[in-house]
């Protein structure tokens, strides 16, 4: 059954590759962009009056902010995936500045949500709420690392375009499915982070399976890139390519770490 499930996901990934742009556009409709007139300065104030009267409300507020943080990471990743599918200077002019702006916003979110949650630790909370505060502190760190990874990929794509580095068509044909596996794992984490929902053993196993597929694809892509280098391929192109592969793997690792944070205590490894 597991083998059939894996085969199904791989085939589904291949089928949906031509629709990367449409999927990203649908995502932007589901996860609404912030209005352009909104400030790029993130502020999260701790309300002492509410904390004294209904401390659990502060935890719910933090949960809402965690969801917004996760949405920003998803948006960054989708911008990258669309940029790879349309590898041209539009990425330099539009997508990279947007990704950089969102990553800066994520840095602010990480700092202020962490400070907010530390204050929540001192409130009179139920055991479940206390556990959720600790969980959210870990998730904030994981998501900040994911946003850093997205920015690193964006920088590499921008440099490659500025330096007129050419990638072969087959390079993209191999990279997009790999990128899509990362997107599937990221969306899975986003769905559960949004609810601060603990993973069942089956859900955790699903996350592990996606992570294993990402690792397998990474090894194959690195092997191919190494072979091309040995055959005299463009060194710059291969180094950019391998760095993008490595960063996608790191994002997948952070997603799987988040899955570990979210899994139920009795979930088997």
């Amino acid at each position: 059954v597991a083998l059939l499930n894996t085969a199904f996901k791989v085939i589904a990934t291949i089928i949906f590759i031509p629709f990367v742009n449409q999927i990203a556009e649908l995502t932007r409709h589901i996860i609404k962009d912030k209005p352009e007139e909104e400030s790029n300065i993130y502020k999260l104030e701790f309300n002492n009056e509410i904390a004294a009267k209904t401390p659990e409300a502060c935890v719910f507020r933090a949960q809402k902010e965690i969801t917004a943080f996760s949405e920003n990471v998803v948006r960054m990743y989708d911008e990258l995936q669309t940029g790879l599918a349309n590898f041209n200077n539009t990425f330099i002019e539009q997508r990279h500045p947007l990704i950089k702006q969102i990553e800066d916003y994520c840095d602010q979110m990480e700092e202020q949500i962490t400070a907010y949650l530390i204050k929540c630790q001192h409130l009179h909370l139920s055991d479940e709420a206390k556990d959720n505060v600790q969980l959210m502190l870990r998730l904030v760190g994981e998501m900040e690392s994911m946003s850093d990874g997205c920015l690193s990929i964006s920088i590499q794509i921008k440099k490659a375009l500025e330096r007129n580095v050419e990638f072969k068509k087959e390079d993209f044909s191999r990279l997009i499915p790999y990128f899509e596996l990362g997107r599937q794992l990221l969306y899975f984490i986003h769905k559960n982070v949004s609810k601060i929902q603990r993973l069942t053993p089956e859900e955790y196993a699903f996350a592990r399976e996606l992570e294993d597929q990402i690792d397998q694809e990474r090894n194959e892509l690195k092997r191919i890139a190494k072979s091309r280098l040995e055959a005299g391929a463009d060194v710059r192109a291969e180094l950019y390519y391998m760095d993008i592969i490595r960063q996608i793997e790191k994002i997948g690792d952070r997603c799987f770490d988040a899955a570990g944070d979210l899994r139920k205590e009795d979930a088997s490894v």
Side-chain angles (χ1 to χ4, degrees):
V1 174
L3 182 60
L4 288 173
N5 188 32
T6 300
F8 173 78
K9 285 197 287 288
V10 171
I11 293 170
T13 297
I14 294 170
I15 291 172
F16 283 106
I17 289 171
F19 305 104
V20 167
N21 291 339
Q22 292 89 334
I23 292 171
E25 186 63 30
L26 177 61
T27 302
R28 281 190 284 271
H29 282 293
I30 296 172
I31 302 176
K32 301 294 185 182
D33 293 349
K34 291 182 178 295
E36 290 185 4
E37 64 270 16
E38 283 191 16
S39 171
N40 292 322
I41 305 300
Y42 176 76
K43 292 181 180 179
L44 177 60
E45 296 179 356
F46 188 85
N47 190 313
N48 288 302
E49 185 177 347
I50 292 177
K53 292 180 179 179
T54 53
E56 303 268 338
C58 295
V59 180
F60 289 133
R61 174 65 192 280
Q63 192 169 324
K64 180 182 177 183
E65 298 306 311
I66 291 285
T67 299
F69 198 160
S70 180
E71 287 173 353
N72 279 321
V73 176
V74 167
R75 187 181 175 198
M76 290 176 74
Y77 198 90
D78 280 340
E79 291 292 341
L80 285 172
Q81 191 165 2
T82 306
L84 277 176
N86 301 278
F87 193 72
N88 55 48
N89 284 334
T90 302
F91 186 89
I92 298 174
E93 298 162 2
Q94 299 178 11
R95 299 195 186 281
H96 178 72
L98 177 59
I99 290 168
K100 192 172 184 300
Q101 177 183 315
I102 298 173
E103 200 279 332
D104 179 67
Y105 196 77
C106 285
D107 284 345
Q108 297 175 55
M109 294 188 85
E110 188 264 343
E111 181 179 336
Q112 294 195 42
I113 294 174
T114 298
Y116 186 94
L117 288 168
I118 289 172
K119 290 181 180 179
C120 286
Q121 287 181 313
H122 301 290
L123 301 178
H124 296 290
L125 301 170
S126 67
D127 289 342
E128 182 181 359
K130 289 178 181 177
D131 288 344
N132 282 341
V133 168
Q134 294 302 318
L135 170 62
M136 286 188 283
L137 279 167
R138 295 193 296 272
L139 290 174
V140 165
E142 303 295 359
M143 290 190 293
E144 199 278 330
S145 294
M146 293 177 208
S147 70
D148 284 347
C150 287
L151 180 60
S152 294
I153 295 172
S154 184
I155 289 171
Q156 293 305 318
I157 295 173
K158 177 176 177 287
K159 285 181 178 178
L161 285 165
E162 288 174 337
R163 298 173 184 180
N164 296 314
V165 175
E166 293 187 6
F167 295 103
K168 295 181 180 179
K169 187 176 180 180
E170 55 265 31
D171 291 340
F172 287 107
S173 297
R174 296 188 185 102
L175 189 59
I176 294 299
Y178 178 60
F179 219 102
E180 175 62 18
L181 284 171
R183 189 189 70 84
Q184 289 181 32
L185 184 53
L186 178 60
Y187 269 62
F188 175 76
I189 295 303
H190 167 66
K191 181 188 73 173
N192 290 284
V193 163
S194 298
K195 304 172 186 176
I196 308 298
Q197 181 172 303
R198 301 287 179 167
L199 301 183
T200 64
E202 294 76 17
E203 289 171 328
Y204 182 71
F206 174 77
R208 176 180 286 281
E209 187 175 346
L210 281 174
E211 168 70 356
D212 288 345
Q213 287 183 50
I214 290 171
D215 289 346
Q216 291 168 15
E217 286 294 318
R218 171 210 62 200
N219 291 339
E220 179 63 14
L221 289 171
K222 283 187 174 181
R223 185 192 66 78
I224 293 171
K226 184 178 179 181
S227 297
R228 288 198 301 252
L229 276 173
E230 292 173 350
D234 184 339
V235 174
R236 286 193 309 170
E238 297 304 324
L239 290 178
Y240 282 125
Y241 192 74
M242 292 175 70
D243 192 64
I244 291 171
I245 292 169
R246 184 169 61 252
Q247 292 299 333
I248 295 172
E249 177 203 2
K250 286 183 179 179
I251 293 171
D253 288 344
R254 298 291 76 75
C255 285
F256 188 62
D257 287 343
D261 294 334
L262 285 163
R263 68 174 174 164
K264 292 181 179 179
E265 291 183 0
D266 60 347
S268 57
V269 177

